[in-house]
Amino acid sequence: MKKNSARVHELKDDLRSCRQRKGMTVCDYYNKLKTIWEDLETHQHKPKSCRCGGCNCEDVETSRDEEKLHQFLLGLDASIYTNVKDEILDTDPLPSLEQAYSMVSQEEKNRVSSYQKVSGETVVDVISSGNAEEDSIDTSLGVTVKKYEDFGQWYSQVCRCGEMMAYYDISGCYILRPNAMKIWNIMRTYFDAVLEKAKVGESYFPLFVSTSVLEKEKDHVEGFAPEVAWVTKAGKSDLNVPIAIRPTSETVIYPYFSKWIKSHRDLPLKLNQWNNVVRWEFSKPTPFIRSREFLWQEGHTAHATKEEADKEVLEVLDHYCHLYEEYLAVPVVKGMKSENEKFAGALYTTSVEAFIPETGRGIQGATSHCLGKKFAKMFDITFTNKEGKNRRVWQNSWAYSTRTIGVMIMTHGDDKGLVNPPKVAPIQVIVVPVPFKDADTKEISKACTDVKDALRKDGIRAEEDLSDNYSPKCKYTQWEMRGVPLRIEIGPRDLAKDQVRTVRRDTGVKADVPRVGLVEHVKELLEKIQHNMFDVAKQKRDAACVIVKTWDEFVEALGQKKLILAPWCDEKEVEMDVKRRTKDEIGAAKTLCSPFDQPEIPEGTLCFASGKPAKKWTYWGKSY
């Protein structure tokens, strides 16, 4: 009860301070309010005096809806929406919250439409007789919030403007649009090849988990209990026994491992499934990073010996590192999780950790766990070894999720929008015609199509934009927001010189390139972009990393949003104490991982937090 009261107080405080900030769309603001309202309904007690027993009396509902309506109107940007607010408040009876939201949204659309008509962004303008004037065009329209000014709003805008996701009408759930799914499927293609080489079989287990099975492994269940969603009804009938929706699949899969494994000849057993899981997150849902439903792959394996299990844990972690660094161009640290931060029920957990310098927060990229024999004991997974003796198996589980996409966006995105690494970009090259008055637009369009076809023939994901209802300036903005790594422009001057102009998304560098040998040039350029994006991200990450040896240095570095490497005594109580001492409104500092690549610990080195002898170097920081 005490914990609920504290949470309710926190949520009501959030509600009081919830405002439509500069650059925030009406949709973003409304969804933020909805998240708080839904969390309040979850945590608040329903009054016993309510005559309907559920606080659903008509008068109570009407009063509650009006209160939400006023909260919504009070938080709107007064410099923009005063007139429509007055119109809503003058209506008798008051419109519903949904009707008011629709009216405000329409006002927002009208404003955007008016701006576009004035600025000429949706009409074909008179374009220069080449590319010279295009060099000075500002293509920063679309994302209105700067990355360094308001990271949260910037991230939300970039995800939406880049057509990666859309908000759903259930808080914490998101629609993954084709651009995001294309990136996900490119990563899946890579990892499927890894799985096939490692002889991991593909499987699919049901979404639902029985109560008896889920509760069989106590520590595991306690770790996920606050996040488990339950099915309690079928139609209008209550289920005799509630059914859980999987937050992860250990307890779903392992009863069947027990049936399928009998002898050493059945080992190793290696399965993977690509699926969705549900974790009913209540704390600050964020697209791709923290959502109530997400996609992932989860591998589950059983081995005869610990040596085999240990070897696989690190091999899988290497593949996750490769995926991040070689495909997503995101630098990560491989390391061991602390006892406090390891997966519930695991013997130990390894992870790859990324870091977002703009927010000073770490982010767990993927995990590979050795589960030891704990689940084997719970689910009686045993085998007869070569000597005829009965033994329990050693088990692993490992996973990466659509969080990878969010990490990529946070790492590379800029004030113009997405910046996609070429290896995972849904479109690697966009070809844009740059006509001008009286130019032969047919010949320019044909040249664009020919270039696109030549690139595609060599396996490059290329498209041309021949739409005639947008100016080249507007097209540049559109494709930059969507993060296409390379733009090719073709105008009359380029046609006359049998050349094209290339424009890099990562640096903005432009170059005139002959049509002869263009395909090879583009392939080399995409490789350069890929490598440069990783190098830039690594330089930023490394510049944000500091080594500290005392508590005062630690606190100072934390305030400066640094990734902190510190000597630690490796005690659970000390980590918990650090959390308590550093907790603020955006969270507490904790261990991210202890890197496998350990610097030397000089004799006499003390733990920065406890003053006890240090046992290892560990990365610390706040995290998502």
Side-chain angles (χ1 to χ4, degrees):
M1 177 68 68
K2 186 175 180 182
K3 186 176 180 181
N4 261 13
S5 299
R7 181 61 177 149
V8 167
H9 180 80
E10 180 184 337
L11 288 167
K12 287 192 173 182
D13 189 50
D14 289 345
L15 201 55
R16 279 190 293 271
S17 60
C18 189
R19 294 287 184 273
Q20 183 189 16
R21 289 173 288 176
K22 183 181 178 182
M24 182 185 283
T25 66
V26 173
C27 177
D28 286 343
Y29 164 61
Y30 182 64
N31 278 318
K32 188 174 182 180
L33 275 175
K34 278 182 67 178
T35 299
I36 300 172
W37 288 331
E38 288 174 7
D39 286 357
L40 268 172
E41 287 173 11
T42 301
H43 289 85
Q44 272 184 320
H45 265 310
K46 294 175 181 176
K48 294 180 180 178
S49 59
C50 177
R51 63 179 180 272
C52 70
C55 206
N56 292 316
C57 308
E58 187 175 341
D59 291 345
V60 174
E61 281 294 318
T62 301
S63 176
R64 181 186 293 159
D65 290 344
E66 284 190 9
E67 184 180 2
K68 287 182 179 179
L69 172 63
H70 288 298
Q71 287 168 347
F72 169 65
L73 296 176
L74 281 169
L76 286 170
D77 188 336
S79 67
I80 298 175
Y81 298 108
T82 298
N83 290 340
V84 71
K85 281 169 64 176
D86 291 344
E87 181 183 345
I88 291 168
L89 292 170
D90 286 343
T91 304
D92 187 19
L94 281 172
S96 69
L97 175 63
E98 289 74 17
Q99 290 169 330
Y101 169 65
S102 178
M103 292 170 70
V104 177
S105 294
Q106 187 59 50
E107 174 69 12
E108 180 182 51
K109 288 176 184 176
N110 292 342
R111 286 177 57 82
V112 172
S113 177
S114 298
Y115 170 77
Q116 288 176 332
K117 287 177 182 176
V118 171
S119 66
E121 284 305 298
T122 60
V123 295
V124 178
D125 294 326
V126 176
I127 306 300
S128 64
S129 59
N131 299 107
E133 290 186 17
E134 295 299 325
D135 291 349
S136 63
I137 288 176
D138 176 13
T139 61
S140 63
L141 299 172
V143 178
T144 61
V145 180
K146 303 295 184 184
K147 188 174 185 178
Y148 280 91
E149 290 178 359
D150 188 337
F151 188 88
Q153 280 306 308
W154 167 85
Y155 177 73
S156 175
Q157 287 192 8
V158 168
C159 286
R160 288 183 296 103
C161 290
E163 299 181 4
M164 298 292 279
M165 50 70 64
Y167 286 96
Y168 193 55
D169 64 356
I170 296 175
S171 174
C173 296
Y174 307 98
I175 299 164
L176 302 191
R177 299 186 66 181
N179 285 337
M181 291 306 300
K182 180 66 175 177
I183 293 172
W184 180 245
N185 287 329
I186 290 170
M187 290 190 287
R188 176 172 178 170
T189 298
Y190 158 73
F191 205 69
D192 273 338
V194 168
L195 296 172
E196 185 174 355
K197 187 174 181 180
K199 298 181 179 179
V200 179
E202 185 168 355
S203 60
Y204 184 81
F205 286 78
L207 176 68
F208 302 112
V209 193
S210 67
T211 305
S212 59
V213 170
L214 186 65
E215 293 180 349
K216 197 165 186 177
E217 212 295 288
K218 184 180 178 182
D219 290 342
H220 184 68
V221 174
E222 286 181 354
F224 284 103
E227 301 174 354
V228 176
W230 294 88
V231 179
T232 58
K233 282 182 175 289
K236 294 183 179 180
S237 303
D238 291 335
L239 297 181
N240 291 331
V241 179
I243 297 172
I245 300 175
R246 63 177 171 226
T248 181
S249 298
E250 280 76 9
T251 55
V252 179
I253 294 173
Y254 297 161
Y256 297 90
F257 271 32
S258 178
K259 297 176 185 290
W260 299 336
I261 297 172
K262 300 299 179 185
S263 163
H264 64 88
R265 297 181 183 86
D266 300 321
L267 296 173
L269 177 57
K270 302 179 182 181
L271 298 179
N272 179 73
Q273 62 175 3
W274 297 89
N275 62 353
N276 63 332
V277 291
V278 173
R279 297 180 184 175
W280 212 251
E281 299 268 13
F282 286 106
S283 176
K284 298 179 181 177
T286 304
F288 299 109
I289 302 300
R290 292 177 66 88
S291 57
R292 288 174 169 170
E293 179 189 10
F294 56 87
L295 302 179
W296 72 350
Q297 64 73 214
E298 52 175 326
H300 297 273
T301 62
H303 305 266
T305 67
K306 185 176 186 297
E307 289 72 23
E308 291 176 18
D310 288 341
K311 181 182 177 186
E312 183 193 69
V313 165
L314 296 182
E315 287 176 345
V316 170
L317 199 69
D318 284 341
H319 290 305
Y320 288 154
C321 181
H322 183 84
L323 184 67
Y324 267 98
E325 297 196 338
E326 298 298 323
Y327 278 74
L328 301 176
V330 174
V332 292
V333 175
K334 294 187 292 184
M336 187 78 69
K337 285 290 194 182
S338 70
E339 284 297 302
N340 282 327
E341 295 297 322
K342 74 178 183 181
F343 180 62
L347 179 64
Y348 64 84
T349 290
T350 66
S351 68
V352 291
E353 301 286 333
F355 185 75
I356 310 301
E358 290 82 1
T359 62
R361 297 170 78 178
I363 185 163
Q364 181 177 282
T367 50
S368 184
H369 318 283
C370 179
L371 304 178
K373 295 187 174 185
K374 197 166 188 178
F375 286 95
K377 183 179 179 180
M378 291 294 171
F379 293 98
D380 193 27
I381 310 173
T382 60
F383 70 100
T384 304
N385 67 15
K386 293 178 182 179
E387 287 75 37
K389 295 180 179 179
N390 210 36
R391 294 287 185 264
R392 291 194 181 100
V393 299
W394 289 85
Q395 290 179 261
N396 294 336
S397 69
W398 25 271
Y400 77 88
S401 73
T402 39
R403 171 176 279 204
T404 49
I405 298 173
V407 176
M408 179 199 77
I409 294 170
M410 288 182 169
T411 300
H412 301 303
D414 62 18
D415 292 340
K416 293 181 179 181
L418 296 171
V419 185
N420 291 329
K423 277 194 175 181
V424 295
I427 299 173
Q428 294 172 311
V429 180
I430 184 67
V431 187
V432 180
V434 186
F436 71 100
K437 194 180 262 188
D438 301 326
D440 189 342
T441 55
K442 287 186 178 179
E443 281 301 308
I444 294 173
S445 295
K446 183 179 181 302
C448 289
T449 301
D450 290 344
V451 167
K452 180 262 296 181
D453 289 343
L455 294 173
R456 278 190 174 185
K457 189 176 179 180
D458 219 82
I460 296 169
R461 295 185 290 277
E463 298 284 351
E464 85 264 60
D465 186 348
L466 302 181
S467 56
D468 58 6
N469 57 332
Y470 291 98
S471 69
K473 173 185 174 182
C474 190
K475 292 179 184 180
Y476 299 165
T477 301
Q478 160 92 6
W479 295 110
E480 285 179 339
M481 281 194 297
R482 292 177 65 174
V484 176
L486 188 65
R487 183 172 76 242
I488 290 179
E489 303 168 6
I490 302 178
R493 185 187 65 182
D494 303 308
L495 208 60
K497 294 184 177 182
D498 197 25
Q499 67 179 26
V500 303
R501 169 163 288 190
T502 61
V503 185
R504 289 175 55 161
R505 177 65 181 88
D506 62 326
T507 62
V509 171
K510 303 179 181 184
D512 293 331
V513 180
R515 289 273 296 273
V516 177
L518 177 63
V519 172
E520 285 304 313
H521 179 85
V522 167
K523 289 168 72 174
E524 291 174 5
L525 195 51
L526 290 174
E527 284 187 22
K528 289 179 181 177
I529 293 171
Q530 182 80 27
H531 292 314
N532 182 66
M533 288 180 67
F534 175 80
D535 291 342
V536 169
K538 188 174 186 301
Q539 289 165 10
K540 286 175 64 178
R541 192 275 311 270
D542 291 349
C545 183
V546 296
I547 296 175
V548 307
K549 295 182 180 179
T550 68
W551 178 256
D552 288 343
E553 290 175 346
F554 179 84
V555 172
E556 181 181 1
L558 198 62
Q560 296 171 347
K561 299 182 178 180
K562 299 295 185 180
L563 173 61
I564 302 167
L565 185 62
W568 181 40
C569 60
D570 196 18
E571 293 185 9
K572 293 177 67 173
E573 295 76 14
V574 173
E575 181 176 4
M576 295 304 295
D577 186 55
V578 171
K579 285 184 177 182
R580 284 190 292 270
R581 294 165 71 184
T582 59
K583 185 172 177 58
D584 60 22
E585 65 275 6
I586 63 168
K590 64 180 183 179
T591 60
L592 303 176
C593 74
S594 296
F596 291 139
D597 186 11
Q598 281 279 313
E600 182 183 352
I601 299 181
E603 187 175 350
T605 300
L606 301 179
C607 171
F608 78 99
S610 68
K612 298 177 182 180
K615 295 180 180 179
K616 58 171 68 172
W617 289 94
T618 299
Y619 281 107
W620 294 75
K622 295 185 178 180
S623 71
Y624 285 93

